[in-house]
Amino acid sequence: MRFNKNYLIFILIAVSVAFAFISYNRGMKADVNGDYFIYWQTGGHFLSGQKIYTPGLVDGGFTYPPFAALFFSLFSFFPFHISAFLFTYVINYGLWLASFILVHKIFKQLYPNQNMNWPLGLALLFSIGFYWHNFIWMNANMPVLCLTLLGIWYYQRKQFGLSYLFFMAGTFFKITPVLFLIFAAIKRGPKDWPKIILTALPFIIVPAILRGFPTGINDWKDYYEAFVAPFGKGKIDENIISLGVPALLNKINTGNAEVGIAPVLHLTARTLKLAILAFQVVSILAITLKFAYDRYIKKSEGFSAADFCLIFMVPLLLPGRVWAHHHVCTSFVFTYVFFALLKEKRTTLLVFSCILCLLTNLITKDVIGQTMTNYLKHYSFITLVMLFVTGIIIALNFGTTKQAKTAGE
């Protein structure tokens, strides 16, 4: 055992050194047209009192809440390329490791008497492409993932105040973790609503104090106009690599003349918008009713691993803006799915799921050719796999099998 532990430590050190060189190289070659330059520049603007949002841009511009701009201001003290290196290594590599540790700790608590090595190993293997995409393009999903995982961890431990704090921090960094707060509010009931609301105050007040209250108020107005309003009105990113059900339906409705793919559907813009809205509303309503049923009929204030997975899947399937690097949460989702399939001895389904998950990491022209790459991207293959995975979660957890152990009860 000592040898194995020392061996793992040696591997970790070697990998960390390798990633230090990769991060330095990536940071020194960082493009001022990339996402990280927007983060770095916004951090500087936050400190200098300049506007941090540019409402009306078709693409680009800062689209995270003001608290995220405060976070990025820490990196703006460094020159751009040095900052890019530090962010890539400390945040996107460091939190990559931290997310593995958190996922492992969460599942060991959910299933204390189960061997999680195979499920976790497979999950980390098949989610690596999403992590790498986030790392190499210097995106900002790792703080959100780790804050959310910490929220889950403390919820399981019944330390609800800390759980709300971490969920709220994730929400004010990037809006999607608000779902965990909403469903926690349903599960815990009105007794915890004041506590949840109060945890939001530091993330609103601190940036406003640092920016000055008039500027702080305008920041929220600009944030709403730059991000919330367009996507709230049904905006969808129109790009062959765009993911999520809205983008998938939009792409198969319009086709892609540039790569020679004809449309499959022929819906009017209004009909398509209504169809997407119906899917979104029905999905949210279904999961909300499920948690309300658990709380008020079954008298359960806890979440199962499958419950957490379903919440993670909502931001991957329903919004109008979904990219590959948003899928880093699959390290958690896949761990549950592979664990459930192994426990249920669904070998054929397990192998098929592994093949699909493997393919999500291989959608490049260098591996499968340009034509196949175009088709898989156009038809949002990753989203189709996420829908398939969601179906497995529902079937295994809410059908005839009830193996998921409810946490926090």
Side-chain angles (χ1 to χ4, degrees):
M1 291 298 294
R2 182 175 179 83
F3 172 80
N4 289 339
K5 182 178 179 180
N6 291 338
Y7 183 68
L8 290 175
I9 291 173
F10 174 79
I11 292 176
L12 177 60
I13 292 173
V15 170
S16 297
V17 170
F19 266 93
F21 284 103
I22 297 171
S23 299
Y24 181 79
N25 182 63
R26 188 70 187 93
M28 293 303 104
K29 294 181 179 179
D31 189 344
V32 296
N33 296 315
D35 286 350
Y36 184 71
F37 181 76
I38 296 173
Y39 306 151
W40 177 81
Q41 185 180 58
T42 299
H45 288 172
F46 181 92
L47 294 175
S48 64
Q50 299 179 62
K51 286 177 68 69
I52 58 178
Y53 299 100
T54 311
L57 286 180
V58 175
D59 193 14
F62 190 68
T63 55
Y64 291 1
F67 175 69
L70 170 60
F71 172 82
F72 288 116
S73 71
L74 300 175
F75 291 89
S76 69
F77 286 104
F78 301 93
F80 171 60
H81 289 98
I82 296 297
S83 173
F85 158 61
L86 292 174
F87 180 83
T88 302
Y89 190 64
V90 176
I91 301 300
N92 278 347
Y93 171 67
L95 294 187
W96 188 345
L97 294 180
S99 70
F100 291 173
I101 295 170
L102 286 169
V103 170
H104 179 261
K105 288 171 70 70
I106 289 168
F107 276 93
K108 288 302 290 183
Q109 182 160 353
L110 279 167
Y111 307 103
N113 300 316
Q114 301 292 328
N115 187 336
M116 300 301 301
N117 291 340
W118 268 106
L120 185 62
L122 289 172
L124 299 184
L125 174 64
F126 294 132
S127 64
I128 195 169
F130 302 129
Y131 277 101
W132 178 252
H133 193 286
N134 182 84
F135 173 86
I136 202 67
W137 293 109
M138 290 184 287
N139 298 122
N141 297 288
M142 294 314 302
V144 184
L145 175 61
C146 288
L147 288 168
T148 303
L149 291 173
L150 283 168
I152 292 173
W153 168 248
Y154 283 108
Y155 194 97
Q156 290 177 227
R157 294 168 61 87
K158 298 185 180 180
Q159 294 176 267
F160 299 113
L162 284 172
S163 176
Y164 303 149
L165 184 67
F166 283 112
F167 284 146
M168 195 67 75
T171 296
F172 279 90
F173 195 103
K174 187 176 183 179
I175 192 66
T176 49
V178 73
L179 293 167
F180 288 87
L181 283 168
I182 292 172
F183 295 129
I186 293 174
K187 284 279 192 174
R188 293 287 295 160
K191 64 181 180 295
D192 272 23
W193 294 356
K195 186 186 297 184
I196 293 173
I197 293 170
L198 286 174
T199 59
L201 294 181
F203 303 102
I204 298 173
I205 293 174
V206 171
I209 291 175
L210 294 175
R211 294 272 287 170
F213 280 102
T215 303
I217 293 171
N218 283 329
D219 285 343
W220 281 103
K221 291 180 179 178
D222 289 344
Y223 171 68
Y224 176 83
E225 293 176 8
F227 179 73
V228 178
F231 287 97
K233 295 176 182 177
K235 177 183 175 182
I236 300 172
D237 283 326
E238 296 182 355
N239 192 303
I240 194 171
I241 62 173
S242 184
L243 300 170
V245 172
L248 170 62
L249 292 176
N250 185 61
K251 287 190 286 186
I252 64 177
N253 192 59
T254 59
N256 191 321
E258 185 177 346
V259 296
I261 300 176
V264 176
L265 302 176
H266 298 277
L267 304 177
T268 65
R270 177 177 173 78
T271 302
L272 178 63
K273 186 174 182 177
L274 289 174
I276 291 171
L277 180 61
F279 176 80
Q280 292 168 326
V281 170
V282 169
S283 299
I284 290 293
L285 182 61
I287 192 172
T288 302
L289 289 175
K290 190 272 175 191
F291 292 142
Y293 175 83
D294 288 347
R295 171 65 178 84
Y296 294 102
I297 305 300
K298 297 173 63 176
K299 307 298 182 183
S300 168
E301 294 184 359
F303 290 93
S304 69
D307 291 336
F308 288 128
C309 288
L310 289 179
I311 301 173
F312 270 128
M313 297 305 287
V314 170
L316 301 185
L317 295 175
L318 301 190
R321 168 168 288 177
V322 182
W323 306 109
H325 49 78
H326 295 157
H327 291 65
V328 289
C329 63
T330 52
S331 58
F332 184 98
V333 176
F334 288 169
T335 299
Y336 169 72
V337 170
F338 294 135
F339 168 75
L341 291 175
L342 284 166
K343 187 175 180 64
E344 293 291 320
K345 294 181 170 48
R346 305 289 185 87
T347 306
T348 301
L349 188 55
L350 173 64
V351 172
F352 184 66
S353 300
C354 287
I355 292 172
L356 290 180
C357 293
L358 175 63
L359 288 175
T360 62
N361 295 282
L362 301 176
I363 306 177
T364 65
K365 64 180 180 180
D366 294 332
V367 177
I368 58 176
Q370 186 65 65
T371 300
M372 183 62 71
T373 299
N374 289 340
Y375 271 89
L376 292 182
K377 287 182 176 179
H378 176 77
Y379 291 107
S380 299
F381 176 74
I382 292 173
T383 294
L384 295 176
V385 173
M386 294 304 111
L387 287 169
F388 176 77
V389 168
T390 302
I392 292 177
I393 295 169
I394 293 172
L396 290 177
N397 196 67
F398 308 121
T400 57
T401 59
K402 296 293 181 182
Q403 49 74 40
K405 177 183 182 294
T406 301
E409 295 184 351

